[in-house]
Amino acid sequence: MSIITENNITVETNEHNEAVITGTLSLDTLEKHKDSALQFFSENLSLDGFRKGSIPEAVIKKHVSETALLEEVATRTLNELYPSIIREKKLEIFGRPEVRFTKIAPGNPVEFRIQTPLMPAVEIGDYKKIAQELNRTKGEVILDEGEVRRALLEVRKELDRRENQGEETEALKETSENKNEEPKETDEPSPLDDEKVQKISSMKTVEEFTQTVREDLKKHKENQANEKHRLALMEKILEESTITLPTMIIESELQSMMAQFTADVSASGLKLEEYLTQAGKTVEELLKEWRPHAENRAKMQLILNKIATVENLTPKKEEVDHQVSHLLEHNPTADKERAEIYVETQLANASVFTYLENQK
């Protein structure tokens, strides 16, 4: 008997290009995973007089509710069955599933519902031709020496400000009668010299420092131009592509955007609630504004994935492992599986953009 028949599993596809899987886990099927669930609680409960991993079943049941134990058993059962269901029904899954137990009670079969996005139908435009056309219009980045002078002027102003802080404080003490007057700023800040340069950098001379500023400004302008060019490439390819996007993918992208936005707001010293009050908006209003952008972001990633697959631009395992190891070294609490997905995606994206930019 197949897994589908044994657990009364049905699979339907909704209008959002998502598979909806429902079924009932029999008592016999659940029983197979009872021991591993008990072992999980044995290894994770902290009880006086018992060593982790060696807590008897009777003691576990005194400290863990029947429902909690059944949920763990049912979760483990589904974790084993889910890949088999996917294979048997030949589903092309894209993304993480949402799992819900619709009926769960000790001593009874467990009813469940799984909703998971299916691989979107991606009909991609002629990305090679588009890249060739846009690459021909990409101009060379030119740095105006006026930009260098303005950058150096800001450095000189900042150095003067630092040097004058102590002098201004002393002057205010000596001339208290003029304490309401604003400090006057000279029209022309002090010139740079080798001594000042050595205090604020590893450079020895003004000439070296100026050249470094020039190179940094040029690199910054090139990076900006590259980002703008890459966005133009993706927008044009997207314009000429057809993609059926599952709603769950858009929602996932919105969650990611909200998490990043919340972190950015927090970094500025505000709580999200404070920002929303100042902006006169709700979370729902923000998400509604972001939705078109979230949809485009998700579609662009699908295009990048498709090109990477077609052109065999997927990163090598050793390169992914190296990057993941480096990432986890600096973020020990990060989830390894998510880190691998993130690194693979970033490396593949970079390879695709390099490939597109090399189309002549």
Side-chain angles (χ1 to χ4, degrees):
M1 184 181 293
S2 74
I3 291 172
I4 300 291
T5 305
E6 183 181 350
N7 295 282
N8 299 317
I9 292 170
T10 61
V11 181
E12 298 178 349
T13 303
N14 63 20
E15 68 275 18
H16 303 300
N17 197 37
E18 298 161 348
V20 179
I21 306 168
T22 57
T24 303
L25 302 176
S26 68
L27 293 177
D28 287 341
T29 301
L30 292 167
E31 184 66 26
K32 297 174 185 176
H33 297 83
K34 179 182 174 182
D35 288 344
S36 66
L38 287 168
Q39 185 61 30
F40 167 78
F41 285 113
S42 176
E43 292 173 353
N44 288 277
L45 284 175
S46 295
L47 300 176
D48 292 338
F50 295 96
R51 184 164 48 87
K52 285 188 175 183
S54 301
I55 304 175
E57 178 179 339
V59 176
I60 292 173
K61 289 183 174 180
K62 285 183 180 179
H63 292 84
V64 177
S65 69
E66 284 188 278
T67 301
L69 178 57
L70 181 55
E71 284 182 352
E72 183 63 29
V73 171
T75 298
R76 289 171 176 272
T77 304
L78 272 186
N79 284 344
E80 181 181 273
L81 290 182
Y82 181 68
S84 300
I85 296 170
I86 299 307
R87 286 195 298 272
E88 191 165 330
K89 296 299 292 185
K90 296 178 178 166
L91 299 175
E92 290 189 78
I93 300 301
F94 182 77
R96 291 175 177 270
E98 290 182 0
V99 181
R100 183 162 56 93
F101 296 117
T102 54
K103 186 176 180 180
I104 184 165
N108 292 278
V110 173
E111 296 180 9
F112 66 88
R113 183 179 189 274
I114 300 175
Q115 189 170 331
T116 185
L118 295 171
M119 181 65 70
V122 180
E123 295 180 15
I124 194 169
D126 190 342
Y127 53 88
K128 292 182 183 179
K129 181 181 178 181
I130 292 170
Q132 288 167 359
E133 291 174 351
L134 289 181
N135 287 343
R136 283 195 290 267
T137 65
K138 185 181 179 183
E140 182 184 356
V141 174
I142 298 174
L143 181 66
D144 188 327
E145 280 301 306
E147 296 175 74
V148 179
R149 288 193 296 271
R150 286 191 290 275
L152 292 172
L153 181 63
E154 290 305 313
V155 172
R156 291 161 58 196
K157 286 181 178 179
E158 175 61 18
L159 287 173
D160 274 4
R161 186 189 67 78
R162 294 181 188 179
E163 291 175 1
N164 292 335
Q165 273 182 338
E167 295 176 12
E168 287 177 0
T169 302
E170 188 61 32
L172 286 173
K173 290 179 182 178
E174 296 176 0
T175 58
S176 58
E177 66 275 10
N178 296 321
K179 64 181 178 181
N180 292 324
E181 293 183 7
E182 290 292 330
K184 293 181 180 180
E185 186 178 294
T186 58
D187 294 333
E188 182 68 20
S190 304
L192 275 178
D193 56 33
D194 293 349
E195 185 179 354
K196 288 181 179 179
V197 163
Q198 292 167 21
K199 286 182 178 179
I200 62 172
S201 74
S202 60
M203 309 300 153
K204 300 297 183 183
T205 66
V206 172
E207 288 72 21
E208 280 186 87
F209 184 75
T210 301
Q211 182 58 26
T212 300
V213 169
R214 183 179 292 110
E215 291 170 358
D216 288 347
L217 287 173
K218 179 79 177 293
K219 187 65 176 177
H220 179 65
K221 288 192 72 171
E222 288 174 342
N223 288 340
Q224 286 184 319
N226 287 337
E227 288 300 316
K228 186 177 180 181
H229 182 66
R230 289 181 172 188
L231 180 59
L233 280 170
M234 294 311 302
E235 288 177 341
K236 187 61 178 176
I237 296 172
L238 177 57
E239 186 181 315
E240 299 188 15
S241 302
T242 302
I243 301 173
T244 304
L245 200 62
T247 301
M248 287 176 69
I249 298 302
I250 302 174
E251 296 301 326
S252 176
E253 190 66 42
L254 283 170
Q255 290 176 15
S256 176
M257 291 171 68
M258 178 55 73
Q260 183 60 56
F261 181 74
T262 302
D264 291 343
V265 170
S266 177
S268 70
L270 285 175
K271 292 182 179 179
L272 181 61
E273 296 76 12
E274 294 172 334
Y275 170 85
L276 292 172
T277 299
Q278 292 179 13
K281 293 183 179 181
T282 64
V283 170
E284 291 71 23
E285 288 172 335
L286 278 182
L287 293 176
K288 185 177 180 180
E289 289 177 10
W290 294 349
R291 196 172 189 85
H293 182 54
E295 185 171 350
N296 279 348
R297 273 182 34 162
K299 287 181 176 180
M300 286 179 182
Q301 186 57 60
L302 284 170
I303 289 172
L304 290 166
N305 293 349
K306 181 83 171 183
I307 296 174
T309 300
V310 172
E311 303 298 339
N312 194 27
L313 299 172
T314 51
K316 295 179 180 178
K317 185 178 184 303
E318 50 269 30
E319 187 177 6
V320 173
D321 290 344
H322 174 73
Q323 295 278 7
V324 169
S325 176
H326 181 73
L327 185 62
L328 293 177
E329 184 180 332
H330 291 83
N331 301 276
T333 59
D335 180 78
K336 185 178 180 181
E337 183 180 351
R338 288 179 180 272
E340 287 174 346
I341 294 172
Y342 172 79
V343 169
E344 285 176 0
T345 301
Q346 296 305 307
L347 291 175
N349 288 355
S351 296
V352 170
F353 278 121
T354 299
Y355 175 83
L356 292 174
E357 289 163 348
N358 286 332
Q359 297 302 307
K360 306 300 182 185

